[in-house]
Amino acid sequence: MTPALEPVRRIAAYAVCTGGSGRVLLVRASTRSGTPGAWSLPGGAVDHGEDPNHTVVRESAAETGLSITVTGLRDVLADMRALPHRGVTIHTDRLIYAASVRGGTLVDRVGQPTDLARWHTLDEAKGLPLRPFTANALGLPPGSIDMRPDETPDFPSFYAAPGPDGLHRAQRFAAYAVATDPAGRVLLTRVAAGYPGAGCWHLPGGGTDFGEQPGEALLRELVEETGQAGRLVSLLGVASHRDAASLGPEGYPIDWHGVRAFYRVAVETPVIPKVADVGGSTDAARWFPVEELRGLPDDAITEVTADAVRAAFPEQPQP
């Protein structure tokens, strides 16, 4: 049994860099880490306000000595890890990117959480003690290096704490849906009064719970906010947004950083939208034909919704 541990959340970004002969770039955890000797993808924690695309480039350079370019998003997943020697249980939302190497030279590090960076074939990687998320990303059998907590801690999806400048700050991971029905309509929700963006139409979804996978969280939120049962189709992308002085129901400014994963979701048997979570951040939901949605004024929908809809439904050029 693991002892009662303090819950901690973080967001992290990692790179799957492949080289000649199908080799993949991996880094080894040093004795300063919680799992010394374990191998994982290069990457690390997203700083407050930092775009995860920048995180993975910065962390990979620091851990390997190589400069990389992000070429795509491969996956988004979450896991829990108990670290009794630190007295914490960490929930990490991990963004897995595909990347290519621009240049540089592999370096070894002393006195850092990782100490080696090496290229390995997948056959070689199978024989290494891999962190579970790394094995998952590479399609290899999962390892048992990480210690899971006996119970999932109770921890809010939105948590603000005083920052170094005295202003409260919050970093939140959330999952949102570009949800469509068989008629091609798009499901949107309206932001309730007292919340940032009040009165604007927004994508259904919200913050994930401690220990919850983003896809599972999204389908749960879809039911709570709109009454719809959905099916995940594909991961569309990830967006990062910072509001340095957000005002919400808390009544005081919060330096807020949101990282959002967007999914395409199919609602195969749509029903009349009904908000079940009364008193929350959503006060209405409805289906929009795509053309009506495109005709909404800019101030009627949130910026992230506009970006996601443009990505999911690009306008066709006129012949």
Side-chain angles (χ1 to χ4, degrees), residues 76-126:
V76 177
L77 50 89
D79 57 58
M80 286 190 299
R81 182 185 181 199
L83 297 174
H85 66 291
R86 296 184 186 172
V88 298
T89 289
I90 301 177
H91 168 113
T92 306
D93 296 292
R94 304 185 192 273
L95 314 178
I96 312 297
Y97 291 94
S100 60
V101 175
R102 294 187 293 186
T105 303
L106 286 180
V107 297
D108 297 343
R109 305 205 299 171
V110 177
Q112 300 296 323
T114 61
D115 58 7
L116 292 182
R118 295 290 187 269
W119 292 98
H120 294 277
T121 66
L122 289 183
D123 280 341
E124 291 170 343
K126 286 180 184 178

CSV table of all heavy atoms in Angstrom, one decimal, residues 76-126:
chain,number,residue,atom,x,y,z
A,76,VAL,N,-2.6,12.2,-27.4
A,76,VAL,CA,-2.8,12.9,-26.1
A,76,VAL,C,-3.2,11.8,-25.1
A,76,VAL,O,-4.2,11.1,-25.4
A,76,VAL,CB,-3.8,14.1,-26.2
A,76,VAL,CG1,-4.0,14.7,-24.8
A,76,VAL,CG2,-3.3,15.1,-27.2
A,77,LEU,N,-2.6,11.7,-24.0
A,77,LEU,CA,-3.0,10.7,-23.0
A,77,LEU,C,-2.6,11.2,-21.6
A,77,LEU,O,-2.0,12.2,-21.5
A,77,LEU,CB,-2.3,9.4,-23.3
A,77,LEU,CG,-0.8,9.4,-23.5
A,77,LEU,CD1,0.0,9.2,-22.2
A,77,LEU,CD2,-0.4,8.3,-24.5
A,78,ALA,N,-3.1,10.5,-20.6
A,78,ALA,CA,-2.9,10.9,-19.2
A,78,ALA,C,-2.5,9.7,-18.4
A,78,ALA,O,-2.9,8.5,-18.8
A,78,ALA,CB,-4.1,11.6,-18.6
A,79,ASP,N,-1.8,9.9,-17.3
A,79,ASP,CA,-1.4,8.8,-16.4
A,79,ASP,C,-1.2,9.3,-15.0
A,79,ASP,O,-1.0,10.5,-14.9
A,79,ASP,CB,-0.2,8.0,-16.9
A,79,ASP,CG,1.0,8.8,-17.1
A,79,ASP,OD1,1.5,9.5,-16.2
A,79,ASP,OD2,1.5,8.9,-18.3
A,80,MET,N,-1.3,8.4,-14.1
A,80,MET,CA,-1.0,8.8,-12.7
A,80,MET,C,0.3,8.0,-12.2
A,80,MET,O,0.5,6.9,-12.7
A,80,MET,CB,-2.1,8.4,-11.8
A,80,MET,CG,-3.3,9.3,-11.8
A,80,MET,SD,-4.5,8.9,-10.5
A,80,MET,CE,-4.9,7.2,-10.9
A,81,ARG,N,1.1,8.6,-11.4
A,81,ARG,CA,2.3,8.0,-10.9
A,81,ARG,C,2.5,8.4,-9.5
A,81,ARG,O,2.5,9.6,-9.1
A,81,ARG,CB,3.4,8.6,-11.8
A,81,ARG,CG,4.8,8.1,-11.5
A,81,ARG,CD,5.8,8.8,-12.4
A,81,ARG,NE,7.2,8.4,-12.2
A,81,ARG,CZ,8.2,9.1,-12.6
A,81,ARG,NH1,8.1,10.3,-13.1
A,81,ARG,NH2,9.5,8.6,-12.4
A,82,ALA,N,2.7,7.4,-8.6
A,82,ALA,CA,3.0,7.7,-7.2
A,82,ALA,C,4.4,7.7,-7.0
A,82,ALA,O,5.2,6.9,-7.4
A,82,ALA,CB,2.4,6.5,-6.4
A,83,LEU,N,4.8,8.8,-6.3
A,83,LEU,CA,6.2,9.0,-5.9
A,83,LEU,C,6.3,9.1,-4.4
A,83,LEU,O,6.4,10.3,-3.8
A,83,LEU,CB,6.8,10.2,-6.6
A,83,LEU,CG,6.9,10.2,-8.1
A,83,LEU,CD1,7.3,11.5,-8.7
A,83,LEU,CD2,7.8,9.1,-8.6
A,84,PRO,N,6.3,8.0,-3.6
A,84,PRO,CA,6.3,8.1,-2.2
A,84,PRO,C,7.5,8.8,-1.6
A,84,PRO,O,7.3,9.5,-0.5
A,84,PRO,CB,6.3,6.6,-1.7
A,84,PRO,CG,5.7,5.9,-2.9
A,84,PRO,CD,6.2,6.6,-4.1
A,85,HIS,N,8.6,8.7,-2.2
A,85,HIS,CA,9.8,9.4,-1.7
A,85,HIS,C,9.7,10.9,-1.7
A,85,HIS,O,10.4,11.6,-1.0
A,85,HIS,CB,11.1,8.9,-2.4
A,85,HIS,CG,11.1,9.3,-3.8
A,85,HIS,ND1,10.3,8.8,-4.8
A,85,HIS,CD2,12.0,10.2,-4.5
A,85,HIS,CE1,10.6,9.3,-6.0
A,85,HIS,NE2,11.6,10.2,-5.8
A,86,ARG,N,8.8,11.4,-2.6
A,86,ARG,CA,8.5,12.8,-2.7
A,86,ARG,C,7.2,13.2,-2.0
A,86,ARG,O,6.9,14.4,-1.9
A,86,ARG,CB,8.5,13.3,-4.2
A,86,ARG,CG,9.8,13.1,-4.9
A,86,ARG,CD,9.7,13.7,-6.3
A,86,ARG,NE,10.9,13.4,-7.1
A,86,ARG,CZ,11.0,13.7,-8.4
A,86,ARG,NH1,10.0,14.2,-9.0
A,86,ARG,NH2,12.1,13.4,-9.1
A,87,GLY,N,6.5,12.2,-1.6
A,87,GLY,CA,5.2,12.5,-0.9
A,87,GLY,C,4.1,13.0,-1.9
A,87,GLY,O,3.1,13.6,-1.4
A,88,VAL,N,4.2,12.6,-3.2
A,88,VAL,CA,3.2,13.1,-4.1
A,88,VAL,C,2.7,12.0,-5.0
A,88,VAL,O,3.4,11.0,-5.2
A,88,VAL,CB,3.7,14.3,-5.0
A,88,VAL,CG1,4.1,15.4,-4.1
A,88,VAL,CG2,4.9,13.8,-5.8
A,89,THR,N,1.5,12.2,-5.6
A,89,THR,CA,0.9,11.5,-6.7
A,89,THR,C,0.8,12.5,-7.8
A,89,THR,O,0.1,13.5,-7.7
A,89,THR,CB,-0.4,10.8,-6.4
A,89,THR,OG1,-0.2,9.7,-5.4
A,89,THR,CG2,-1.1,10.2,-7.6
A,90,ILE,N,1.4,12.2,-9.0
A,90,ILE,CA,1.3,13.1,-10.1
A,90,ILE,C,0.4,12.6,-11.2
A,90,ILE,O,0.6,11.5,-11.6
A,90,ILE,CB,2.8,13.3,-10.7
A,90,ILE,CG1,3.7,13.9,-9.6
A,90,ILE,CG2,2.7,14.3,-11.9
A,90,ILE,CD1,5.1,14.1,-10.1
A,91,HIS,N,-0.5,13.4,-11.6
A,91,HIS,CA,-1.3,13.2,-12.8
A,91,HIS,C,-0.7,14.0,-13.9
A,91,HIS,O,-0.5,15.3,-13.8
A,91,HIS,CB,-2.8,13.6,-12.6
A,91,HIS,CG,-3.5,13.7,-13.9
A,91,HIS,ND1,-4.6,12.8,-14.2
A,91,HIS,CD2,-3.5,14.5,-15.0
A,91,HIS,CE1,-5.1,13.1,-15.3
A,91,HIS,NE2,-4.4,14.1,-15.8
A,92,THR,N,-0.3,13.4,-15.0
A,92,THR,CA,0.4,14.1,-16.1
A,92,THR,C,-0.4,13.9,-17.4
A,92,THR,O,-0.8,12.8,-17.8
A,92,THR,CB,1.8,13.6,-16.4
A,92,THR,OG1,2.6,13.7,-15.2
A,92,THR,CG2,2.5,14.4,-17.4
A,93,ASP,N,-0.8,15.1,-18.0
A,93,ASP,CA,-1.4,15.1,-19.3
A,93,ASP,C,-0.3,15.2,-20.3
A,93,ASP,O,0.4,16.2,-20.3
A,93,ASP,CB,-2.4,16.2,-19.4
A,93,ASP,CG,-3.6,16.1,-18.5
A,93,ASP,OD1,-4.4,15.2,-18.7
A,93,ASP,OD2,-3.7,16.9,-17.5
A,94,ARG,N,-0.1,14.2,-21.1
A,94,ARG,CA,1.1,14.1,-22.0
A,94,ARG,C,0.7,14.3,-23.5
A,94,ARG,O,-0.2,13.6,-24.0
A,94,ARG,CB,1.8,12.8,-21.8
A,94,ARG,CG,2.2,12.4,-20.4
A,94,ARG,CD,3.0,11.2,-20.3
A,94,ARG,NE,3.1,10.7,-18.9
A,94,ARG,CZ,4.1,11.1,-18.1
A,94,ARG,NH1,5.0,12.0,-18.6
A,94,ARG,NH2,4.2,10.6,-16.9
A,95,LEU,N,1.3,15.3,-24.1
A,95,LEU,CA,1.1,15.5,-25.5
A,95,LEU,C,2.3,14.9,-26.3
A,95,LEU,O,3.5,15.2,-26.0
A,95,LEU,CB,1.1,17.0,-25.8
A,95,LEU,CG,0.2,17.8,-24.8
A,95,LEU,CD1,0.3,19.3,-25.2
A,95,LEU,CD2,-1.2,17.4,-24.9
A,96,ILE,N,2.0,14.0,-27.2
A,96,ILE,CA,3.1,13.3,-27.9
A,96,ILE,C,3.1,13.8,-29.3
A,96,ILE,O,2.2,13.7,-30.1
A,96,ILE,CB,2.8,11.7,-27.9
A,96,ILE,CG1,2.4,11.2,-26.5
A,96,ILE,CG2,4.0,11.0,-28.5
A,96,ILE,CD1,3.6,11.4,-25.5
A,97,TYR,N,4.3,14.4,-29.7
A,97,TYR,CA,4.4,15.0,-31.0
A,97,TYR,C,5.4,14.1,-31.9
A,97,TYR,O,6.3,13.5,-31.4
A,97,TYR,CB,5.0,16.4,-30.9
A,97,TYR,CG,4.1,17.4,-30.3
A,97,TYR,CD1,4.2,17.7,-28.9
A,97,TYR,CD2,3.2,18.1,-31.1
A,97,TYR,CE1,3.3,18.6,-28.4
A,97,TYR,CE2,2.4,19.1,-30.5
A,97,TYR,CZ,2.4,19.3,-29.2
A,97,TYR,OH,1.6,20.3,-28.6
A,98,ALA,N,5.2,14.2,-33.2
A,98,ALA,CA,6.2,13.7,-34.1
A,98,ALA,C,7.1,14.8,-34.4
A,98,ALA,O,6.7,16.0,-34.5
A,98,ALA,CB,5.5,13.2,-35.4
A,99,ALA,N,8.4,14.5,-34.6
A,99,ALA,CA,9.4,15.5,-34.8
A,99,ALA,C,10.5,15.0,-35.7
A,99,ALA,O,10.8,13.8,-35.8
A,99,ALA,CB,9.9,16.0,-33.5
A,100,SER,N,11.2,15.9,-36.3
A,100,SER,CA,12.4,15.6,-37.0
A,100,SER,C,13.6,16.4,-36.5
A,100,SER,O,13.4,17.5,-35.9
A,100,SER,CB,12.3,15.8,-38.5
A,100,SER,OG,12.0,17.2,-38.8
A,101,VAL,N,14.8,15.9,-36.7
A,101,VAL,CA,16.0,16.6,-36.2
A,101,VAL,C,16.6,17.5,-37.2
A,101,VAL,O,16.8,17.2,-38.4
A,101,VAL,CB,17.1,15.5,-35.8
A,101,VAL,CG1,18.4,16.2,-35.3
A,101,VAL,CG2,16.6,14.7,-34.6
A,102,ARG,N,16.8,18.8,-36.8
A,102,ARG,CA,17.4,19.8,-37.7
A,102,ARG,C,18.9,19.8,-37.6
A,102,ARG,O,19.6,20.1,-38.6
A,102,ARG,CB,16.9,21.2,-37.3
A,102,ARG,CG,15.4,21.4,-37.5
A,102,ARG,CD,15.0,22.8,-37.3
A,102,ARG,NE,15.1,23.2,-35.9
A,102,ARG,CZ,14.7,24.4,-35.4
A,102,ARG,NH1,14.2,25.3,-36.2
A,102,ARG,NH2,14.9,24.7,-34.1
A,103,GLY,N,19.5,19.4,-36.4
A,103,GLY,CA,20.9,19.4,-36.3
A,103,GLY,C,21.3,19.4,-34.8
A,103,GLY,O,20.5,19.2,-34.0
A,104,GLY,N,22.6,19.4,-34.6
A,104,GLY,CA,23.1,19.4,-33.2
A,104,GLY,C,23.9,18.1,-33.0
A,104,GLY,O,24.1,17.3,-33.9
A,105,THR,N,24.4,17.9,-31.8
A,105,THR,CA,25.2,16.7,-31.4
A,105,THR,C,24.7,16.2,-30.1
A,105,THR,O,24.5,17.0,-29.2
A,105,THR,CB,26.7,17.1,-31.3
A,105,THR,OG1,27.1,17.7,-32.5
A,105,THR,CG2,27.5,15.9,-31.0
A,106,LEU,N,24.5,14.9,-30.0
A,106,LEU,CA,24.1,14.3,-28.8
A,106,LEU,C,25.1,14.6,-27.7
A,106,LEU,O,26.3,14.6,-27.8
A,106,LEU,CB,24.0,12.8,-28.9
A,106,LEU,CG,22.8,12.2,-29.8
A,106,LEU,CD1,22.9,10.7,-29.8
A,106,LEU,CD2,21.5,12.7,-29.2
A,107,VAL,N,24.5,14.9,-26.5
A,107,VAL,CA,25.3,15.3,-25.3
A,107,VAL,C,24.9,14.4,-24.1
A,107,VAL,O,23.7,14.0,-24.0
A,107,VAL,CB,25.2,16.8,-25.0
A,107,VAL,CG1,25.7,17.7,-26.1
A,107,VAL,CG2,23.7,17.1,-24.6
A,108,ASP,N,25.8,14.1,-23.3
A,108,ASP,CA,25.5,13.5,-22.0
A,108,ASP,C,25.5,14.6,-20.9
A,108,ASP,O,26.2,15.7,-21.0
A,108,ASP,CB,26.6,12.5,-21.6
A,108,ASP,CG,26.7,11.4,-22.6
A,108,ASP,OD1,25.7,11.2,-23.3
A,108,ASP,OD2,27.7,10.7,-22.6
A,109,ARG,N,24.7,14.4,-19.9
A,109,ARG,CA,24.5,15.5,-18.9
A,109,ARG,C,24.8,15.0,-17.5
A,109,ARG,O,24.6,13.8,-17.2
A,109,ARG,CB,23.0,16.0,-18.9
A,109,ARG,CG,22.5,16.4,-20.3
A,109,ARG,CD,21.4,17.4,-20.1
A,109,ARG,NE,20.2,16.8,-19.5
A,109,ARG,CZ,19.2,17.6,-19.1
A,109,ARG,NH1,19.2,18.9,-19.3
A,109,ARG,NH2,18.1,17.0,-18.5
A,110,VAL,N,25.3,15.9,-16.7
A,110,VAL,CA,25.7,15.5,-15.3
A,110,VAL,C,24.9,16.3,-14.3
A,110,VAL,O,24.7,17.5,-14.5
A,110,VAL,CB,27.2,15.8,-15.1
A,110,VAL,CG1,27.6,15.5,-13.6
A,110,VAL,CG2,28.1,15.0,-16.0
A,111,GLY,N,24.3,15.6,-13.3
A,111,GLY,CA,23.6,16.3,-12.3
A,111,GLY,C,22.2,16.8,-12.7
A,111,GLY,O,21.6,17.7,-12.1
A,112,GLN,N,21.6,16.2,-13.8
A,112,GLN,CA,20.3,16.6,-14.3
A,112,GLN,C,19.4,15.4,-14.2
A,112,GLN,O,19.8,14.2,-14.0
A,112,GLN,CB,20.4,17.1,-15.8
A,112,GLN,CG,21.3,18.3,-16.0
A,112,GLN,CD,20.8,19.5,-15.3
A,112,GLN,OE1,19.6,19.7,-15.2
A,112,GLN,NE2,21.7,20.3,-14.7
A,113,PRO,N,18.1,15.6,-14.3
A,113,PRO,CA,17.1,14.5,-14.2
A,113,PRO,C,17.3,13.4,-15.3
A,113,PRO,O,16.9,12.3,-15.1
A,113,PRO,CB,15.7,15.1,-14.4
A,113,PRO,CG,16.0,16.5,-13.9
A,113,PRO,CD,17.4,16.9,-14.4
A,114,THR,N,17.9,13.8,-16.5
A,114,THR,CA,18.2,12.8,-17.5
A,114,THR,C,19.7,12.9,-17.7
A,114,THR,O,20.3,14.0,-17.7
A,114,THR,CB,17.5,12.9,-18.8
A,114,THR,OG1,17.8,14.2,-19.4
A,114,THR,CG2,16.0,12.8,-18.6
A,115,ASP,N,20.4,11.8,-18.0
A,115,ASP,CA,21.9,11.8,-18.1
A,115,ASP,C,22.4,11.3,-19.5
A,115,ASP,O,23.5,11.6,-19.8
A,115,ASP,CB,22.6,11.1,-17.0
A,115,ASP,CG,22.2,9.6,-16.9
A,115,ASP,OD1,21.4,9.1,-17.8
A,115,ASP,OD2,22.5,8.9,-15.9
A,116,LEU,N,21.6,10.6,-20.2
A,116,LEU,CA,22.0,10.0,-21.5
A,116,LEU,C,20.9,10.3,-22.5
A,116,LEU,O,19.7,10.2,-22.2
A,116,LEU,CB,22.3,8.5,-21.4
A,116,LEU,CG,23.5,8.1,-20.6
A,116,LEU,CD1,23.7,6.6,-20.8
A,116,LEU,CD2,24.8,8.7,-21.1
A,117,ALA,N,21.3,10.5,-23.8
A,117,ALA,CA,20.4,10.5,-24.9
A,117,ALA,C,21.0,9.6,-26.0
A,117,ALA,O,22.2,9.8,-26.4
A,117,ALA,CB,20.3,11.9,-25.5
A,118,ARG,N,20.2,8.6,-26.5
A,118,ARG,CA,20.8,7.7,-27.5
A,118,ARG,C,19.7,7.3,-28.5
A,118,ARG,O,18.5,7.4,-28.2
A,118,ARG,CB,21.3,6.4,-26.8
A,118,ARG,CG,22.4,6.6,-25.9
A,118,ARG,CD,23.7,6.9,-26.6
A,118,ARG,NE,24.9,6.9,-25.7
A,118,ARG,CZ,25.3,8.0,-25.1
A,118,ARG,NH1,24.6,9.2,-25.2
A,118,ARG,NH2,26.4,8.0,-24.3
A,119,TRP,N,20.2,6.9,-29.7
A,119,TRP,CA,19.3,6.4,-30.7
A,119,TRP,C,19.2,4.9,-30.5
A,119,TRP,O,20.2,4.2,-30.3
A,119,TRP,CB,19.8,6.7,-32.1
A,119,TRP,CG,19.8,8.1,-32.5
A,119,TRP,CD1,20.8,9.0,-32.5
A,119,TRP,CD2,18.7,8.8,-33.0
A,119,TRP,NE1,20.4,10.2,-32.9
A,119,TRP,CE2,19.1,10.2,-33.3
A,119,TRP,CE3,17.4,8.5,-33.3
A,119,TRP,CZ2,18.3,11.1,-33.8
A,119,TRP,CZ3,16.5,9.5,-33.8
A,119,TRP,CH2,17.0,10.8,-34.1
A,120,HIS,N,17.9,4.3,-30.6
A,120,HIS,CA,17.7,2.9,-30.5
A,120,HIS,C,16.7,2.4,-31.5
A,120,HIS,O,15.8,3.1,-31.9
A,120,HIS,CB,17.1,2.6,-29.1
A,120,HIS,CG,18.0,2.9,-27.9
A,120,HIS,ND1,18.9,2.0,-27.5
A,120,HIS,CD2,18.0,3.9,-27.1
A,120,HIS,CE1,19.6,2.5,-26.5
A,120,HIS,NE2,19.0,3.7,-26.2
A,121,THR,N,17.0,1.2,-32.1
A,121,THR,CA,16.0,0.6,-32.9
A,121,THR,C,14.8,0.1,-32.0
A,121,THR,O,15.0,0.0,-30.8
A,121,THR,CB,16.5,-0.6,-33.6
A,121,THR,OG1,16.9,-1.6,-32.7
A,121,THR,CG2,17.8,-0.3,-34.4
A,122,LEU,N,13.7,-0.2,-32.6
A,122,LEU,CA,12.6,-0.6,-31.8
A,122,LEU,C,12.9,-2.0,-31.1
A,122,LEU,O,12.5,-2.2,-30.0
A,122,LEU,CB,11.3,-0.7,-32.6
A,122,LEU,CG,10.7,0.6,-33.1
A,122,LEU,CD1,9.4,0.3,-33.8
A,122,LEU,CD2,10.4,1.5,-31.9
A,123,ASP,N,13.6,-2.8,-31.8
A,123,ASP,CA,14.0,-4.1,-31.2
A,123,ASP,C,14.9,-3.8,-29.9
A,123,ASP,O,14.8,-4.5,-28.9
A,123,ASP,CB,14.8,-5.0,-32.2
A,123,ASP,CG,13.8,-5.7,-33.1
A,123,ASP,OD1,12.6,-5.8,-32.8
A,123,ASP,OD2,14.3,-6.1,-34.2
A,124,GLU,N,15.8,-2.9,-30.1
A,124,GLU,CA,16.6,-2.5,-28.9
A,124,GLU,C,15.8,-1.9,-27.8
A,124,GLU,O,16.0,-2.2,-26.6
A,124,GLU,CB,17.7,-1.6,-29.3
A,124,GLU,CG,18.8,-2.2,-30.3
A,124,GLU,CD,19.7,-1.1,-30.9
A,124,GLU,OE1,19.4,0.1,-30.8
A,124,GLU,OE2,20.8,-1.5,-31.4
A,125,ALA,N,14.9,-1.1,-28.2
A,125,ALA,CA,14.0,-0.4,-27.2
A,125,ALA,C,13.2,-1.4,-26.4
A,125,ALA,O,12.9,-1.2,-25.2
A,125,ALA,CB,13.1,0.6,-27.8
A,126,LYS,N,12.8,-2.5,-27.0
A,126,LYS,CA,12.0,-3.6,-26.3
A,126,LYS,C,12.8,-4.1,-25.1
A,126,LYS,O,12.2,-4.5,-24.1
A,126,LYS,CB,11.7,-4.7,-27.3
A,126,LYS,CG,10.7,-4.4,-28.3
A,126,LYS,CD,10.5,-5.7,-29.2
A,126,LYS,CE,9.5,-5.4,-30.3
A,126,LYS,NZ,9.3,-6.6,-31.2
